[in-house]
Amino acid sequence: MPTEPPYLRIAAALREEISQLPPGAKVPSTRQLASAHGVANATAAKALDVLRREGVIRAEPRSGHVVAGQHAEAESKRPVLSRDRLVRAAIAIADTEGVAALSMRGLAARLGVPAMAPYRYLSGKDELIFLMADTVYGETGYPAREPEGWRAQLELVARTLWSVHRRHPWLAHLVPLTRPWPLPNLAAHNERALAALSVFGLNSADLCDLNVLFYNHIQGTAIHLERERHAMGTTGITEDQWMEKQARGYAALTGSGRYPVLARMVRDLAEEGYDLDLDHLFEIGLQALLDGLAVRYPVGGAVSGRQDQGS
């Protein structure tokens, strides 16, 4: 299980400490928290931000943070803990910090409940992540009127799923194509894709192959959304800065004379400018995939599948 982020541990300790203080009492400053817990000021600031968003503390001009005046009343009115509330809070953590930052203990701390409270509603982290995935797949629906034609129908499904992965970059890392999860809300997307692909008249094995290929394009591209965010968080440098650091290595490759096409491409891109845009790559990849399906499986024509790999 991933280690709980330090700022959540600090927030939990501070929450317990100030629960004994009257409204308006001064809260330790960012610098004081950083010194007391041996962390960076940015980490201490995140801990204070957690409590501020919960309404436990408030910012007071020229005084820093103080205990919120309505703290006791807010606690008494705190929404009852539920499975849905746990799942929604976990999704928010994963969206901002990645799924690796998620733990049952950290989730409890974020909600201001005892560490074991989530286990009254969930068997553990595996069930939590299963429900998180199913929930986000169910966020976006479809118009009541179906587009005309298999291509437009597949474009709609692909772009809908891409938007889900765009909002939740961690999602693409959860479900291997080879070990799919029985998620009802993902099944709803699959049903639409399969219905559109059924126009080709394929047997079930070939139909499954195409559906997996179709989803693989979405998931395979979306994987890099989270990878870039992780790389940025780990290295602290942007994509452009990363490429600048690799300039010497690429100069050695392209200057060797062994890779003339690569050398020409790198030179042209350096002169003209280039940004690797995942949204653009998703779209051109989708169109190339659909173009290929139109040629390989002409509607009303000869059908080629697993039994005709040479076509």
Side-chain angles (χ1 to χ4, degrees), residues 12-151:
L14 186 57
R15 187 186 297 107
E16 179 66 23
E17 177 184 337
I18 65 178
S19 66
Q20 310 301 319
L21 300 177
K26 193 170 178 59
V27 175
S29 67
T30 298
R31 182 173 296 179
Q32 289 171 327
L33 282 177
S35 176
H37 292 273
V39 298
N41 284 343
T43 301
K46 287 181 69 176
L48 289 172
D49 186 57
V50 169
L51 298 187
R52 187 170 57 250
R53 285 188 278 110
E54 291 177 357
V56 176
I57 63 176
R58 70 173 189 273
E60 192 75 17
R62 295 183 298 279
S63 297
H65 288 90
V66 299
V67 178
Q70 302 300 318
H71 175 52
E73 181 181 349
E75 284 295 317
S76 66
K77 294 182 178 180
R78 186 180 294 279
V80 176
L81 195 62
S82 66
R83 174 180 287 198
D84 182 67
R85 186 173 175 224
L86 288 165
V87 170
R88 296 290 178 184
I91 290 170
I93 293 172
D95 285 348
T96 56
E97 303 168 41
V99 95
L102 183 64
S103 70
M104 296 294 281
R105 183 181 180 87
L107 179 60
R110 178 68 61 93
L111 294 172
V113 299
M116 297 305 293
Y119 290 97
R120 295 201 300 267
Y121 304 90
L122 299 162
S123 61
K125 186 176 177 181
D126 287 346
E127 183 183 13
L128 173 63
I129 291 179
F130 182 95
L131 293 172
M132 289 167 60
D134 193 50
T135 298
V136 298
Y137 276 123
E139 285 180 347
T140 305
Y142 291 90
R145 187 169 183 176
E146 188 87 8
E148 292 290 334
W150 66 267
R151 185 170 187 131

Side-chain angles (χ1 to χ4, degrees), residues 165-249:
H165 284 84
R166 252 309 194 179
R167 289 193 302 274
H168 309 288
W170 48 270
L171 182 61
H173 293 262
L174 296 185
V175 189
L177 288 175
T178 54
R179 301 186 182 191
W181 293 358
L183 300 170
N185 286 319
L186 178 56
H189 296 287
N190 280 333
E191 180 67 18
R192 282 185 168 260
L194 289 168
L197 291 166
S198 294
V199 71
F200 299 130
L202 301 171
N203 61 42
S204 294
D206 292 327
L207 185 62
C208 183
D209 283 346
L210 290 191
N211 188 49
V212 170
L213 179 65
F214 172 73
Y215 183 73
N216 181 62
H217 169 62
I218 303 163
Q219 183 190 55
T221 307
I223 279 175
H224 299 285
L225 296 169
E226 181 76 353
R227 286 182 176 174
E228 171 54 29
R229 185 169 71 173
H230 176 74
M232 178 66 181
T234 301
T235 65
I237 63 176
T238 66
E239 294 176 66
D240 289 340
Q241 291 170 330
W242 170 261
M243 292 305 297
E244 288 175 7
K245 288 174 67 71
Q246 310 309 313
R248 179 176 297 180

